[in-house]
Amino acid sequence: MKKKATALLLTGLMLLTAACSSNSNNNANTANTANEGGKSETKEITVWAWDKNFNIAAMNLAKEAYVKNHPDAKINVVEYAQDDIIQKLNTGLNSGTASGLPNIVLIEDYRAQSFLQTYPDAFQDLGDAIKPSDFADYKLGPTSFNGKQYGVPFDSGVVGLYVRTDYLQEAGYTVNDLQDIDWQKYIEIGKAIKAKTGKDMLTQDPNDLGLIRMMIQSAGSWYLKSDGTTPDLKDNATLKEAFETYKELMNANIVKVNSDWSSFLAGFNSGDVASVPTGNWITPSIKAQADQSGKWAVVPFPKLKNAANSVHASNLGGSSWYVLNNDGKEAAVDFLAATLGSDSDLYQKLVTDVGVIGTYKPAASGEAYSAADEYFGGQKVISDFAKWTAEIPNVNYGMHTYAIEDILKVEMQNFLNGTAVDKALSDAQSQAESQIQ
């Protein structure tokens, strides 16, 4: 669609397959209405995503960039809750057709394989539309299947250790003391901070296993074997170490327990905790407390002490864009390829305007990625996150992340309450084998 002739050729292929607002119904609509005076038909692309301040905002920037060069294109960005998108996709695809679904949909990386493997003909192979090697390696596993690239990798869930420098200093430490540490050193420093300041080192919901995910991926391990389907819990040495490390954290008297998202945010916004080990998407929430400006830094994620492959980089969350195999797929692929698949300038705006750190590697050399952030004491945090993104181990999330975590949540509580770790993981293995295989 770079040339007018190509644009005209694609004109007749477009179909508006979803409503233009989150309040509209989901029936397919007539997409191509001829303009008066013999002008070319309007090309319409419908996109589904969640989170108006992040994913929707990012897609709207992509839309603006594309329409500048393709003024005849019409792109409808529709907001739904993530759970609603999952339900609508499953309902539609179970009927055996992608008709009535959007042209482009955002899918969380942890869930992508369940769609690609369950509905192998429902998504469009991107072919040569994007260059997969231009994206962070760890994003290619979730977004591809059987040697074909189906997703345009989007945001990075790269994690870091956010830390209060004033609390560190009060306890006799500096940011340099937290470079390249393991979790045992982290606990040691946490105890010193608690003794000196009375502040807990972190806030944690015992029923949220996000920290376990981060720990095991940092060592290139997951809940499943490399085939993405076989549970790997009982004899998974990395998962066992993560469980034991988690219990050591919880028993060290340095954790402020929370029970929901609001209390998680309150933990650090109130100044009650000294660090936050999590994904970079928490940055806006950290910066929401203006009076803490200059008191935070971000250091590399701690690694597991005994896992030979553990590195100081991991991931939590993240999603990617997919094209449904329905009318309009060619134009949808062209739109993604021209924007999120190749536009480094767009990725600079995503950083400055929305706070999205993409996984498109060429963008990392742009000005927005190298800018100093005064909230973090002048640290070039985006540049650091981009560097760590490239170091995240690639694992196969497979189809069952959340089903297995439902099992592990129970076994984690059993372990924290006295059950031997080997028995807890053995029981989890048995349940996983009976439920998901």
Side-chain angles (χ1 to χ4, degrees):
M1 292 177 65
K2 297 296 184 183
K3 299 179 180 179
K4 184 176 181 181
T6 305
L8 290 171
L9 178 62
L10 290 175
T11 294
L13 296 173
M14 303 314 300
L15 178 68
L16 177 58
T17 59
C20 297
S21 74
S22 57
N23 293 324
S24 301
N25 63 37
N26 189 35
N27 295 328
N29 297 299
T30 301
N32 297 320
T33 303
N35 293 332
E36 295 180 1
K39 295 181 181 179
S40 63
E41 296 172 345
T42 299
K43 295 183 293 296
E44 298 193 31
I45 300 169
T46 296
V47 184
W48 286 1
W50 65 90
D51 193 342
K52 67 178 181 180
N53 295 319
F54 193 80
N55 302 314
I56 297 292
M59 181 50 72
N60 279 328
L61 286 178
K63 169 184 172 179
E64 291 174 9
Y66 189 75
V67 170
K68 285 181 181 179
N69 297 318
H70 305 80
D72 56 341
K74 183 176 181 181
I75 301 166
N76 306 302
V77 183
V78 184
E79 181 187 2
Y80 286 114
Q82 182 181 178
D83 287 346
D84 290 340
I85 289 177
I86 294 166
Q87 181 182 13
K88 289 175 182 294
L89 281 180
N90 279 316
T91 300
L93 297 177
N94 275 331
S95 71
T97 177
S99 177
L101 293 175
N103 304 108
I104 298 170
V105 65
L106 186 68
I107 301 177
E108 187 184 32
D109 292 338
Y110 296 129
R111 301 182 188 274
Q113 286 298 309
S114 66
F115 283 102
L116 295 179
Q117 295 187 37
T118 303
Y119 310 107
D121 299 322
F123 297 91
Q124 177 66 20
D125 174 14
L126 297 178
D128 297 327
I130 68 167
K131 187 177 180 181
S133 60
D134 280 343
F135 294 86
D137 184 61
Y138 87 95
K139 293 282 277 193
L140 302 182
T143 57
S144 62
F145 180 58
N146 278 346
K148 296 181 179 180
Q149 185 67 34
Y150 289 96
V152 176
F154 181 44
D155 61 315
S156 173
V158 62
V159 304
L161 176 60
Y162 295 77
V163 61
R164 284 286 296 263
T165 55
D166 51 342
Y167 295 164
L168 276 177
Q169 184 176 7
E170 191 173 344
Y173 292 96
T174 68
V175 170
N176 289 335
D177 294 317
L178 272 76
Q179 301 291 325
D180 303 327
I181 63 172
D182 59 33
W183 285 102
Q184 280 62 42
K185 183 66 175 180
Y186 173 83
I187 292 170
E188 175 188 320
I189 294 173
K191 289 180 176 178
I193 289 175
K194 184 67 174 285
K196 291 288 187 178
T197 70
K199 306 294 184 180
D200 288 311
M201 191 61 168
L202 73 162
T203 180
Q204 182 67 29
D205 179 353
N207 289 310
D208 182 347
L209 298 189
L211 193 55
I212 296 295
R213 283 190 225 171
M214 292 184 276
M215 286 179 177
I216 62 177
Q217 185 164 358
S218 77
S221 181
W222 200 243
Y223 303 138
L224 303 166
K225 292 187 177 181
S226 59
D227 61 9
T229 58
T230 305
D232 186 19
L233 309 175
K234 177 181 178 182
D235 298 316
N236 187 330
T238 300
L239 181 59
K240 179 179 179 179
E241 183 179 355
F243 259 55
E244 292 172 331
T245 302
Y246 190 92
K247 186 172 185 176
E248 189 176 348
L249 272 171
M250 298 300 290
N251 289 344
N253 194 33
I254 59 172
V255 178
K256 180 180 178 64
V257 174
N258 71 70
S259 58
D260 54 34
W261 179 254
S262 295
S263 55
F264 168 67
L265 297 179
F268 54 82
N269 286 153
S270 67
D272 286 343
V273 300
S275 72
V276 187
T278 196
N280 70 88
W281 34 260
I282 203 65
T283 296
S285 297
I286 296 279
K287 296 172 73 172
Q289 204 67 28
D291 61 356
Q292 294 179 12
S293 179
K295 298 179 180 180
W296 286 93
V298 189
V299 298
F301 191 71
K303 71 174 186 177
L304 292 172
K305 185 174 185 177
N306 300 316
N309 296 325
S310 188
V311 297
H312 295 287
S314 193
N315 177 76
L316 185 65
S319 54
S320 301
W321 302 97
Y322 296 82
V323 174
L324 274 297
N325 192 15
N326 55 17
D327 290 340
K329 61 187 178 184
E330 293 89 351
V333 169
D334 185 85
F335 164 60
L336 286 178
T339 55
L340 294 165
S342 63
D343 190 343
S344 290
D345 290 338
L346 170 61
Y347 278 96
Q348 308 309 306
K349 286 185 67 65
L350 292 180
V351 168
T352 58
D353 294 8
V354 184
V356 174
I357 300 177
T359 52
Y360 182 62
K361 291 188 287 189
S365 60
E367 291 184 4
Y369 280 69
S370 60
D373 191 327
E374 294 309 315
Y375 194 93
F376 294 99
Q379 181 181 349
K380 297 178 180 180
V381 291
I382 304 299
S383 178
D384 286 337
F385 278 128
K387 173 181 179 292
W388 301 332
T389 293
E391 299 168 357
I392 298 171
N394 187 355
V395 302
N396 189 344
Y397 296 138
M399 300 174 64
H400 308 296
T401 292
Y402 291 107
I404 289 179
E405 280 201 352
D406 285 342
I407 295 170
L408 288 178
K409 287 176 186 177
V410 176
E411 294 305 329
M412 173 61 82
Q413 293 306 308
N414 291 339
F415 173 51
L416 293 176
N417 290 325
T419 299
V421 64
D422 289 335
K423 176 171 172 48
L425 294 179
S426 178
D427 289 347
Q429 178 81 23
S430 297
Q431 294 174 62
E433 289 175 348
S434 65
Q435 293 182 26
I436 68 176
Q437 286 190 309

